[in-house]
Amino acid sequence: MNAGEQLSLWGLIQNASLLVQLVMLLLLLASVVSWVMIIQRGLYLSQAKRALNNFERRFWSGADLNKLFREGNERAEKGKTDGVESLFRAGFTEFTRLRQQGSSGPEAVMEGTERAMRVAMSREQEKVEMNLPFLATVGSVSPYIGLFGTVWGIMNSFRGLATMHQATIATVAPGISEALVATAMGLFAAIPAVMAYNRYSAKAEWLLSSYETFAEEFSSILHRKVHSG
């Protein structure tokens, strides 16, 4: 293998020590998985935002709550309800059930309704924040894994130099270059993961805040309804 092939990216990976190659493979897998999650989270959060806007537009247009509930049940049967509509369905289901029993006072009805919406909110929070911890881990750990591979590769290069009578740039460059590839791969895995985590965390926080606001407003509407009827 000539010098040009040795210093090509594939040549550097091929000539790296086994441990450095394992580090590179680990970083490659982390990068691929994180990109899958980045795309998946981006699509889910965009869909959740559209669903929030569409439902709030229908809800605040003065539509009948029973009609919205029936439409939500039809979508739920098709697996199409998510986000804020799940909070609405959970709260309205419990509200209707407790009122039909007739044995619960207004305060007990509202406590049960708010409890049902809190449970639904916890489920939606899990969905919204899914995979974000993995992106945070990849973003924070990958550079150190790459640095470990680099340090190990450079140590091997210096051990090899100890057996040589005369060291030149030509003899040192391949070993150091292949070690630095691990650092580059660590950054390649970390940078997109960190950027996606920061962006999606902000989106998730906005969505959850919007869900909480809706739950409070819906609770106020039901509170007036139960005390007026």
Side-chain angles (χ1 to χ4, degrees):
M1 184 178 292
N2 58 42
E5 291 176 337
Q6 279 188 331
L7 292 178
S8 68
L9 181 60
W10 180 244
L12 293 173
I13 294 174
Q14 277 186 315
N15 294 326
S17 64
L18 178 61
L19 181 60
V20 176
Q21 287 179 339
L22 290 175
V23 167
M24 292 178 182
L25 179 61
L26 177 62
L27 292 172
L28 178 62
L29 290 175
S31 179
V32 171
V33 173
S34 65
W35 271 107
V36 171
M37 292 182 176
I38 286 169
I39 295 171
Q40 183 186 57
R41 283 293 86 195
L43 294 174
Y44 178 84
L45 292 174
S46 297
Q47 180 184 0
K49 183 178 180 181
R50 286 195 302 270
L52 171 65
N53 293 333
N54 291 336
F55 180 79
E56 285 196 326
R57 184 168 58 249
R58 286 186 286 121
F59 183 85
W60 295 113
S61 65
D64 180 64
L65 295 182
N66 290 295
K67 181 182 178 182
L68 282 177
F69 181 69
R70 287 193 299 271
E71 292 174 352
N73 284 338
E74 292 174 1
R75 278 191 294 276
E77 292 175 357
K78 300 175 183 178
K80 295 183 178 179
T81 56
D82 214 352
V84 70
E85 192 166 5
S86 296
L87 270 69
F88 167 76
R89 291 181 61 251
F92 196 74
T93 298
E94 188 68 9
F95 177 79
T96 304
R97 186 183 69 81
L98 291 174
R99 287 195 75 186
Q100 288 175 348
Q101 286 181 353
S103 58
S104 301
E107 296 307 320
V109 170
M110 290 309 304
E111 286 178 8
T113 300
E114 291 171 357
R115 183 166 55 249
M117 285 195 288
R118 283 196 299 270
V119 172
M121 181 70 180
S122 297
R123 293 189 184 126
E124 293 307 312
Q125 184 174 359
E126 290 178 2
K127 294 178 184 177
V128 168
E129 296 179 346
M130 185 181 296
N131 298 332
L132 291 183
F134 179 82
L135 292 178
T137 301
V138 171
S140 60
V141 172
S142 292
Y144 295 104
I145 295 176
L147 184 60
F148 169 75
T150 298
V151 171
W152 186 268
I154 290 176
M155 285 171 57
N156 284 338
S157 296
F158 282 133
R159 277 202 298 266
L161 288 177
T163 62
M164 295 182 182
H165 298 291
Q166 184 177 3
T168 64
I169 293 295
T171 57
V172 176
I176 294 179
S177 298
E178 68 193 31
L180 291 175
V181 171
T183 297
M185 292 185 69
L187 295 175
F188 180 77
I191 292 173
V194 170
M195 293 177 65
Y197 174 77
N198 291 336
R199 180 174 177 80
Y200 293 163
S201 292
K203 282 188 174 183
E205 186 177 350
W206 179 85
L207 275 173
L208 294 175
S209 176
S210 299
Y211 291 170
E212 289 176 358
T213 301
F214 172 81
E216 291 176 2
E217 293 171 338
F218 184 46
S219 180
S220 298
I221 292 173
L222 295 180
H223 188 274
R224 291 194 297 269
K225 189 178 179 69
V226 73
H227 280 87
S228 64

